[in-house]
Amino acid sequence: MIGLSACLAVLGPPQLCAQNSRHDRENGIKAGFIIGFSDFMKWENHSIDTSKELRIGLLGKGRLKDTLEKAIRAKSSHKRRIYLESFETPDQIDDVHILFVFKEEMETWEDTRLICGKKSILTISDIKDFASNGGMIEIVRVGNRIKFVVNNTVAKQSGIAISSKLIRLSHGGNR
Amino acid sequence: MKLAAPYLVGILCLISTSPLTANSEEDFWNLSIEQLLSTPIISASKKEERLFDVPASIHLINADMIERTGNITIPELLKGVPGLATARSNPGNWSITSRGFGGRFANKLLVLVDGRSIYNTGYSGVYWNAQNMYVNDIERIEVVKGPGGTHWGANAMNGVINIISKSAFDTIGTNVEVAAGNEIEHGMAARYGAMVGENSALRVTTNSIRSRAGNDGYDSFTEQRVDLRWDLIVGDDVTLNIQSGYSDSSVLDGFYLPNESIIGSSSASMSNTRGLNSSTTYGDSTLESFHVLGKWEKTLSNGTLSVKSFAEFSTLDSLPAKYDSQTVDIELLYRNRFHEKHDLMIGAGARQIKMELTKGFHNNIYNAFVQDEIEVTEKDTLAIGAKLEYFTDIIGAELEPSIRYSRKWNESQLSWASISRAIRSPSAGETKAAQTLLSSQLINTVQGPLTLITTMESSMEKMEAERLTAYEIGHRCKINDRTMIDVSAFYNSYDNIITMNYGDSVYGQYMGMMTLTNEYLIGNALSPTSYGVELSFEQTINNAILAEISYSYLNIDMGDQPHLTIDPSQLATNYSLLLEKNTPTHQCSLRLNYDISESLKSQMAYRYISEIDTGSSLIPSYTQMDMSLVWDLNEYVAFSLVGKNLLEDDHLEYDMFLDLGTISTKVGPSYFAKVNVSF
C-alpha cells in the first residue's frame, strides 16, 4: 500500500475522464448499430441491393454525423459501398435505405414518417419514445449500455422485414 | 458467425496492456450487434483489447457459443476448449486442468468468477459441482493456458479461467428455463432483471440442477443457488458492481477404502485392490457457501482506478473432511499511461483465510504488484512485471515475475514469447494433515484378524510453495477474413511439487487388537518438467458454417529422484507416476457450427482423447461426439435438444481413485431437452 501511494504521488492524482470520451463511445456504438442493422433487414420494395450499396441518410445535424463519416470510410469496401447523405428538411429525403433522425427534427416528424413509409426507409433515432411514435428503431441508453427498441409493425407496413434475431436482441428481449 | 470474438476486458487484458487509445471509436465498427449491446458506455475496465492481440495461449467462450451448445453446467462448457483437459469422474465431479496435473482437485489452475477466486484453499482445486451459476447469466469465459501468477498470484500456475457474468443492464426482463433428460433430472432457472432508476439495474437469478444417480448409484448431484447482481453508474466516470450469491450443493460420493492388500505398501498392490479387496462407502458431500462482492471502478484521464473486495463463507461436509472456512479479500488496482510508450499498472491486496479443521488453518496473504508495458517500437511491445506475495502462516514471501514480448508484424500476424514464474501455495489439507484417521476396519489376513488404520500427515514442519518457471512462445495468424491459426508451445520446469507418498506399514496393538497402520506422508518431493504444443485452426466456410480444429500435445516427466525434503527411506512408493500420467498426451477436437436457418442453429463437437495409464489404472483412449440443436421458435421462446457422448455406450473419462479415493463412474450417452422463455 505504501508503494502504491508513492506511485500515485509520483504519477499525479487521478483526473476525471473527459465527458467527451463517454459521448465518443456512445456515438461509436450508435454508428456501429446504424451500419450493422442493415445486415438484419430486407428491403422488399427498395431498388438498390444493400449487399452492394448501402445508403444512409441523416435528417438534421449532430456530432454523430462525424462519427458516421469515419465509420463509413472504414467500413466501405470494393464489395459494398456505403454512402452518407444529409438532409435539412423532410422533402429532401431521397432513396436511402436508412434514415437517422436528429432530435431537432422531431417537429417535422409526421412529414418524415409519411415519406419514409412510402419510400421503404428504415427510420432510426435516439429521440425518447421514437418507436412508440411511429419510428422503426429507437436507440436508448439503458444505464451503462446502448440498446435499441424495435417497432416491427411499422417496419412491416413499410415493406421492411426485420430479422427475428435482431428483434430478440432488442431491449427487453434478452435471453 | 465471426472469427473469434474480438474484445476482452477481463483477465486477458492484464496479460498485455496495449494503449488505452486502442479502444477508440473505430473499434466499435468492427463489433457485431451482440458485442455492441454489451459494450459499456463508461469503460472503467482496466483495458479492452482485441483477442487477436493478446500475447498468450487463450480461448474465449462467448454467450453465443454458450447458447449454441445448450449446456447447463460450466464443466460441460469447458469441455470444448482446445488444450484444456476436461474429464468427468461423475456428473458432479470433474478433472479440469491445463497443461497436466489433473484430478478432482486439479490444483494448478486458478478459476475466478468476476474476479472472485473459487479455488478452494482447503484441498486446492475447484468444487465444480458447486459452481453452476445459470449459464445464460454468463457473458463469456476466458481461458488462459499458462501461468498468470504475476497478475493473479498464487495458484495461477498452469492456467486461469475467468468466468465473467453479464451486467445487470444486459438482463432486463424475465427469463425462465427448464431442462430435463435421461441424466439431468431437472435443470430449472428463473431470472428477473429490472432497471432501478435511470442509472442502475438489478438482477436476481435462481438455478437448480439435479442429476440422476446412474447405474453405479454413486453419481447424483444437486445444486440450488441464488445469485444477485446490481450494477450502477455514478456520474460520467464511475461504475459500481455489487454481487451476492448463496449455493447449496450436494454430490453423492463413493470412496474406496483400502484394506489388506496395502500390506507391502506398493502402488502395484493398490492397483490390484481396486474393486477386489477394497471396500466401498459412499454418502453425500455437501458444500454450502455464501459470498458477497463489491467492485468500484473509476475512469481516469489516462487510466483507471479500481477497488474490489469480496468475502466468502462456506461449510464443507464430506466423507473425508469437514470444515468451515471464511475468506475476505481486497484488491486495489491503478493504471496510468503516464508516457506515450509506457502503460503502468500497480496494485496491492490482502486476503485473509480462516478454516476450522482438525488444526486451525489461518493464512493472511499480502501482495503488491507492478507491471510496465513498454512500446519498444510500433510493432514491438515488452511487458515486465512482478508480484510479491507474503503468506504469513505457511510459506513466507514469494516473488512471481514475468517478462512478455510480442511483435505484431501486421494486422494479421502476431508473435509472442514469455518467461514467467508462478507458484502454488500448499492447501490447508496438505499443511495441516496430521494423524487423520481415514478408515478403521477389521480385516482378515493370513496373520489373523487385523484392525486397519490409515493415517495421513504432513511430512515436514514447514512446507514450501510449489514453484514453476515457464517458457512460452506463440504465433497467431489470420490468413484471411475467414481463416485463423493459433499455435503455442511451452516448456515448464517445476520444483517442490507436493505429493502424497506411502510411508511405513506398522503392525501394533491397540486395546488388545492387532493393528496395521499405513502411513501417507505429504510433502514437497518432486521436480518435474513438461512441454507441449497447442494448436487451433478456425475456418469460416461460409456465412452458415464455422469449423474449428484443435490439437494439443503434452509430455510430463516427473524426474528420477524425489526431492530430499522427504526421507527417501520412507518412500516405498510415491505418486509421481500417477501425477505424470493422469492427463492425456494427445487431444484433438473438431467443432462444427452450422446455422441451418436464421432461427435454427446447431453444433457438432467431436473429440479424441488419448489413453491415460497411471500404472494403477488404465483409461482407454476414446472418441466422442456431442450434438446440439437450438430452435428460436419466436422472439420469446427457444427450444434446444442436446445429445452428449453419442458414439460409445459407456466409457471412463477419468479415474479419481487417487483423489481421496473418489469413485469414478462411466460416462454414457445422454440427452436432454430444454425450453427457454423470455418476456
Side-chain angles (χ1 to χ4, degrees), chain A residues 88-145:
Chain A
E88 292 182 358
T89 57
D91 58 308
Q92 293 177 342
I93 298 169
D94 61 12
D95 282 344
V96 292
H97 295 97
I98 295 169
L99 182 77
F100 183 86
V101 183
F102 285 102
K103 276 181 186 157
E104 294 72 21
E105 303 305 316
M106 203 53 190
E107 288 177 5
T108 58
W109 167 239
E110 278 306 310
D111 295 339
T112 306
R113 188 167 68 87
L114 289 171
I115 292 167
C116 291
K118 285 178 189 168
K119 294 189 174 185
S120 193
I121 295 171
L122 180 78
T123 54
I124 305 173
S125 181
D126 53 8
I127 300 168
K128 194 171 187 299
D129 298 328
F130 181 71
S132 55
N133 283 306
M136 294 175 201
I137 296 182
E138 178 183 337
I139 295 176
V140 294
R141 183 175 74 82
V142 180
N144 201 15
R145 298 286 193 273

Side-chain angles (χ1 to χ4, degrees), chain B residues 2-250:
Chain B
K2 297 262 183 191
L3 278 175
Y7 288 89
L8 305 167
V9 288
I11 50 176
L12 304 182
C13 66
L14 291 169
I15 290 168
S16 165
T17 58
S18 65
L20 285 165
T21 50
N23 180 29
S24 64
E25 57 188 10
E26 282 85 354
D27 294 326
F28 298 120
W29 309 327
N30 294 315
L31 299 185
S32 67
I33 296 290
E34 292 95 324
Q35 289 159 348
L36 287 167
L37 283 168
S38 59
T39 299
I41 305 168
I42 297 172
S43 178
S45 298
K46 290 144 273 189
K47 181 76 194 308
E48 294 178 7
E49 186 162 24
R50 290 205 313 159
L51 177 64
F52 183 85
D53 295 338
V54 177
S57 181
I58 55 174
H59 186 83
L60 182 74
I61 302 169
N62 62 26
D64 178 64
M65 294 177 192
I66 292 170
E67 187 187 355
R68 186 183 289 272
T69 63
N71 287 319
I72 62 169
T73 65
I74 289 172
E76 289 284 359
L77 289 172
L78 294 172
K79 218 169 190 175
V81 175
L84 204 62
T86 60
R88 194 177 97 171
S89 172
N90 61 49
N93 293 328
W94 289 75
S95 164
I96 298 178
T97 189
S98 166
R99 299 180 178 176
F101 302 96
R104 177 176 179 183
F105 302 100
N107 56 27
K108 295 168 184 54
L109 178 76
L110 184 65
V111 184
L112 309 149
V113 177
D114 292 323
R116 173 179 59 88
S117 171
I118 58 170
Y119 181 99
N120 185 292
T121 47
Y123 279 106
S124 291
V126 176
Y127 284 92
W128 289 105
N129 59 300
Q131 310 299 340
N132 290 298
M133 63 188 291
Y134 182 36
V135 295
N136 285 353
D137 278 355
I138 298 172
E139 183 180 301
R140 64 184 182 280
I141 302 173
E142 301 170 347
V143 180
V144 182
K145 290 158 278 177
T150 301
H151 300 105
W152 297 99
N155 310 320
M157 206 173 189
N158 278 358
V160 185
I161 295 175
N162 197 15
I163 300 162
I164 296 167
S165 68
K166 288 177 180 171
S167 163
F169 291 119
D170 294 331
T171 51
I172 305 296
T174 303
N175 181 268
V176 178
E177 185 171 279
V178 178
N182 66 334
E183 192 173 272
I184 294 169
E185 190 172 305
H186 76 249
M188 293 189 291
R191 177 179 75 202
Y192 176 71
M195 293 294 294
V196 182
E198 276 195 12
N199 293 312
S200 78
L202 187 67
R203 172 178 77 222
V204 181
T205 308
T206 66
N207 194 25
S208 171
I209 297 176
R210 174 186 286 272
S211 79
R212 296 177 200 278
N215 293 333
D216 296 333
Y218 309 123
D219 51 358
S220 71
F221 89 97
T222 65
E223 184 181 7
Q224 290 84 38
R225 60 185 299 136
V226 180
D227 290 289
L228 181 145
R229 176 165 174 153
W230 183 30
D231 286 280
L232 62 162
I233 55 175
V234 183
D236 282 330
D237 53 8
V238 172
T239 60
L240 190 61
N241 168 222
I242 294 168
Q243 300 181 30
S244 184
Y246 168 80
S247 163
D248 184 7
S249 65
S250 171

Side-chain angles (χ1 to χ4, degrees), chain A residues 1 4 7-8 11-12 14-17 19 22 24-26 28-29 31-33 36-37 40 67 70-71 74-75 141-148 163-169 171-175, chain B residues 23 25 28-29 33-34 36-43 48 67 136 166-167 169-170 172 175 191 195 198-199 233 235-237 239 298-301 332 334 338 344 346 598 632 634-635 638 676 678:
Chain A
M1 286 297 188
L4 182 71
C7 289
L8 285 169
L11 299 168
Q15 295 170 38
L16 286 177
C17 174
Q19 200 170 3
R22 173 176 169 169
D24 288 346
R25 290 178 70 86
E26 280 195 41
I29 295 166
F33 276 150
F37 284 153
F40 297 87
T67 310
K70 289 183 206 166
K75 294 290 285 181
R141 183 175 74 82
V142 180
N144 201 15
R145 298 286 193 273
I146 300 293
K147 310 268 184 187
F148 56 87
S163 94
S164 57
K165 183 178 178 183
L166 192 74
I167 295 169
R168 282 197 304 279
L169 291 172
H171 183 40
N174 295 297
R175 190 156 290 152
Chain B
N23 180 29
E25 57 188 10
F28 298 120
W29 309 327
I33 296 290
E34 292 95 324
L36 287 167
L37 283 168
S38 59
T39 299
I41 305 168
I42 297 172
S43 178
E48 294 178 7
E67 187 187 355
N136 285 353
K166 288 177 180 171
S167 163
F169 291 119
D170 294 331
I172 305 296
N175 181 268
R191 177 179 75 202
M195 293 294 294
E198 276 195 12
N199 293 312
I233 55 175
D236 282 330
D237 53 8
T239 60
K298 184 179 181 68
T299 307
L300 312 171
S301 57
L332 190 148
Y334 176 60
F338 67 97
L344 184 72
I346 51 179
E598 192 179 81
D632 290 318
N634 55 40
E635 60 195 271
N676 185 296
S678 299

Side-chain angles (χ1 to χ4, degrees), chain B residues 397-435:
Chain B
E398 290 287 337
L399 187 66
E400 293 153 273
S402 72
I403 180 165
R404 194 171 288 268
Y405 165 81
S406 64
R407 163 163 273 238
K408 193 170 181 184
W409 305 90
N410 51 48
E411 284 304 309
S412 56
Q413 304 265 357
L414 177 86
S415 301
W416 59 271
S418 74
I419 303 173
S420 321
R421 188 172 187 272
I423 67 151
R424 181 179 81 82
S425 62
S427 68
E430 288 164 335
T431 54
K432 297 296 179 183
Q435 297 178 344

Side-chain angles (χ1 to χ4, degrees), chain A residues 4-71:
Chain A
L4 182 71
S5 304
C7 289
L8 285 169
V10 170
L11 299 168
Q15 295 170 38
L16 286 177
C17 174
Q19 200 170 3
N20 281 347
S21 166
R22 173 176 169 169
H23 289 309
D24 288 346
R25 290 178 70 86
E26 280 195 41
N27 282 333
I29 295 166
K30 287 176 184 175
F33 276 150
I34 291 168
I35 296 171
F37 284 153
S38 63
D39 295 333
F40 297 87
M41 308 285 164
K42 279 185 183 165
W43 281 265
E44 291 163 1
N45 304 323
H46 211 288
S47 56
I48 304 170
D49 182 358
T50 52
S51 65
K52 292 174 181 164
E53 185 177 316
L54 178 69
R55 306 184 77 87
I56 299 171
L58 299 174
L59 182 62
K61 291 177 182 171
R63 285 180 57 187
L64 182 61
K65 183 186 174 188
D66 297 336
T67 310
L68 264 170
E69 282 175 346
K70 289 183 206 166

Side-chain angles (χ1 to χ4, degrees), chain B residues 79 81-87 99-100 490 531-535 550-556 580-590 606-613 619-624 653:
Chain B
K79 218 169 190 175
V81 175
L84 204 62
T86 60
R99 299 180 178 176
F490 66 91
Y531 60 88
V533 177
E534 289 145 4
L535 171 71
S550 71
Y551 168 75
S552 63
Y553 171 79
L554 173 70
N555 182 290
I556 300 178
E580 182 179 338
K581 300 292 185 185
N582 71 358
T583 312
T585 303
H586 304 276
Q587 292 192 92
C588 300
S589 69
L590 166 64
Y606 298 85
R607 62 187 179 280
Y608 164 79
I609 310 293
S610 66
E611 71 173 22
I612 299 173
D613 185 358
I619 308 295
S621 64
Y622 61 90
T623 304
Q624 272 303 347
E653 292 190 352

